[in-house]
Amino acid sequence: MLYRQKFDTFIRQYDDVGYITSKSDFGDRVVDAAGAVFLKALSRTGQSLDALTAKIAASFIGVDTAVLQKDVAEFYAMLEADGFIVSGLTEAELDAKDTRFSYAALEPKTIKKDFTPIVMRAEKSTQEFLDEHFKGKPHLTSLQIELTSRCNERCVHCYIPHENKINDIDPALYYDVLGQCRDMGLLNLTLSGGEPMLHKNFLEFLRKAKEYDFSINILSNLTLLNDDIIAEMKANRLSSVQVSLYSMKPEIHDAITKMPGSFVKTHDAILRLIEHDIPLQISCPTMKQNKTCYVDVLNWAHEHKVRAVTDYIMMARYDHTTGNLDNRLSLDEVGTVINDIINNDRDYQKEMANADMVKTDARDISNDIVCGVCVSSICMIANGNLYPCAGWQDYIVGNIKKQPLREIWDNSPKVQYLRGLRKKDFPQCLTCADKSFCAMCMVRNANENPDGDPLKINEHFCKVAALNRKIVLEWKERLQA
Ligand SMILES: C[S@@+](CC[C@H](N)C(=O)[O-])C[C@H]1O[C@@H](n2cnc3c(N)ncnc32)[C@H](O)[C@@H]1O
Ligand code: SF4
Ligand code: SF4
């Protein structure tokens, strides 16, 4: 019998624990030090039980091979049952069992439904386990790289000031960072921009990221998609491509991107990626221009079994100029969108119907972390500057040309400062009635604040949280009436 990890699973070792995750909704598992040895023995080519046992035996002293082989077989049987690995007599059988993402295999009209046939075996959720395990020594698991700040579009809401859309990453720097990320056990690599496909080395960048076995996400407007990129995406273990589509009306989409013809290119590229079974997510931020037609994008995506998300929260540019916010929805307009969501989004309805507001309102959040920035994720722009989160490019926590990534991650005072922040550092939030509906976010605070202060809460978001709570509570009352 041969065993092999599945196409879209990733294995990492963090200190003395092993970690396996699947990008097709099978979740993840953490195993102890012995299990980590069993996990590490697996690879992307089939290996027999004898070969795997011999590999594993080298890590244990005085072990009875027959007993070990039984343990190994049981361990892999559990991983196979949980959807992480495949077994078979030949590579062809492994290939046949290693089903990849396909739109045809998705149930019609179900996009976010939970169809995972697994029982959680761990008592705690994996994330809780890892958070506890890494307490005091956070691991970098996600990096977003802005391959270029250049862009062929000029979106009215973009957080990158248009005059700064001028820099490409030096390939040598990109490859160097990738090597450092591999050494640090990075799992998720996001390639973004600007428009990442404008970089002349984009294809090589994608190939190299595959060699390092990262789970790759691409953020793109897809206007430059071509056959070579599609072929590489198919060969690569791409987790997802996130594309921005603002309207199904070409004139509205193009008015947002300020690029005539962009709708047709993005729309057609989405259809081509669907045709090639490349997992997609459509991002459709709402703003004044598309407030009456963004729903058409969500419906179109739904018909094509593509996950689509909308977002009425727009942040200011990272140089603290706020001209782009002229396009942001007013509070009344946000109210209409929230009403649309609570009346149409079944997932949100389910979540809100089951939410115990009394319990969530009473929960003590003082020691909760604010978010994952500098706890598990970080970003980098073309010149090597590292910053905490997409859109927060001017909060520079270090530069990779001057210091290794690990040193910045472990020792940068700004990284440590952000990592140490807790909800109690926002005292007005602790007793706030609207906290369960709040998407308070430090980059949104900082960008809209003339001094760039991430702790200075932006009142717009408080007003949105209060409105969201009011609308949901009214909806719940109607439900119970
Ligand atoms: C900066 S773009 C980079 C990738 C690519 N050029 C694109 O547009 O998809 C990434 C995402 O950020 C969103 N975005 C841009 N400016 C924003 C802002 N001010 N607030 C919130 N999201 C924004 C875009 O709509 C897009 O979905
Ligand atoms: S949102 Fe994306 S496509 Fe639009 S200008 Fe910004 S980087 Fe370019
Ligand atoms: S609504 Fe404002 S005060 Fe309340 S939790 Fe959110 S940011 Fe804090």
Side-chain angles (χ1 to χ4, degrees), residues 320-348:
H320 313 284
T321 56
T322 52
N324 64 332
L325 300 183
D326 294 347
N327 307 289
R328 183 159 80 186
L329 297 183
S330 68
L331 206 55
D332 278 352
E333 290 163 338
V334 169
T336 309
V337 174
I338 297 173
N339 267 308
D340 277 354
I341 295 173
I342 193 71
N343 290 319
N344 295 299
D345 184 333
R346 290 210 199 123
D347 291 324
Y348 193 54

Side-chain angles (χ1 to χ4, degrees), residues 122-182:
E123 274 175 24
K124 289 180 190 153
S125 82
T126 314
Q127 198 51 50
E128 274 175 302
F129 180 92
L130 288 174
D131 287 349
E132 218 163 273
H133 186 81
F134 295 143
K135 220 172 234 167
K137 200 182 171 221
H139 273 63
L140 177 66
T141 54
S142 304
L143 173 73
Q144 174 161 325
I145 305 183
E146 199 181 274
L147 294 179
T148 175
S149 61
R150 288 191 300 125
C151 192
N152 53 350
E153 297 190 345
R154 286 289 176 270
C155 299
V156 293
H157 63 298
C158 189
Y159 57 65
I160 306 174
H162 294 324
E163 62 277 17
N164 293 357
K165 293 186 167 114
I166 45 175
N167 293 316
D168 280 350
I169 197 167
D170 176 349
L173 177 65
Y174 174 80
Y175 298 132
D176 177 38
V177 172
L178 248 48
Q180 295 191 45
C181 288
R182 179 199 44 203

Side-chain angles (χ1 to χ4, degrees), residues 25 145 157 178 197 218 248 259 286 332 380:
D25 273 4
I145 305 183
H157 63 298
L178 248 48
M197 293 183 192
I218 294 170
M248 298 312 293
M259 178 188 169
T286 39
D332 278 352
M380 188 183 108

Side-chain angles (χ1 to χ4, degrees), residues 228-407:
D228 292 340
I229 296 177
I230 293 179
E232 192 50 43
M233 283 178 167
K234 280 197 82 145
N236 211 308
R237 270 171 291 281
L238 260 194
S239 290
S240 159
V241 176
Q242 183 193 297
V243 53
S244 317
L245 184 70
Y246 302 102
S247 173
M248 298 312 293
K249 294 187 175 133
E251 64 282 10
I252 292 186
H253 178 91
D254 293 358
I256 290 174
T257 65
K258 297 274 180 201
M259 178 188 169
S262 61
F263 170 81
V264 174
K265 287 186 178 150
T266 298
H267 170 269
D268 292 0
I270 291 173
L271 291 178
R272 289 184 74 201
L273 289 191
I274 294 173
E275 197 183 303
H276 287 278
D277 276 330
I278 294 174
L280 265 175
Q281 172 166 307
I282 293 179
S283 162
C284 179
T286 39
M287 56 196 98
K288 293 212 182 287
Q289 291 81 343
N290 65 350
K291 65 180 182 195
T292 57
C293 60
Y294 76 96
V295 173
D296 301 340
V297 175
L298 305 187
N299 289 336
W300 183 76
H302 197 63
E303 280 162 25
H304 288 83
K305 303 185 196 172
V306 174
R307 182 156 191 260
V309 288
T310 186
D311 179 7
Y312 43 77
I313 302 218
M314 185 188 291
M315 64 176 135
R317 299 186 194 108
Y318 68 69
D319 64 357
H320 313 284
T321 56
T322 52
N324 64 332
L325 300 183
D326 294 347
N327 307 289
R328 183 159 80 186
L329 297 183
S330 68
L331 206 55
D332 278 352
E333 290 163 338
V334 169
T336 309
V337 174
I338 297 173
N339 267 308
D340 277 354
I341 295 173
I342 193 71
N343 290 319
N344 295 299
D345 184 333
R346 290 210 199 123
D347 291 324
Y348 193 54
Q349 287 173 352
K350 209 159 85 187
E351 192 190 325
M352 289 300 113
N354 295 333
D356 179 345
M357 299 321 294
V358 179
K359 205 168 149 198
T360 39
D361 287 350
R363 206 175 72 80
D364 178 15
I365 57 167
S366 10
N367 290 315
D368 287 4
I369 58 164
V370 183
C371 65
V373 296
C374 297
V375 174
S376 56
S377 62
I378 208 158
C379 301
M380 188 183 108
I381 47 171
N383 67 7
N385 278 348
L386 285 174
Y387 58 102
C389 179
W392 205 355
Q393 276 85 332
D394 80 327
Y395 195 94
I396 302 157
V397 301
N399 185 292
I400 203 106
K401 289 184 188 165
K402 296 185 188 143
Q403 259 180 311
L405 179 58
R406 187 185 287 279
E407 215 172 286

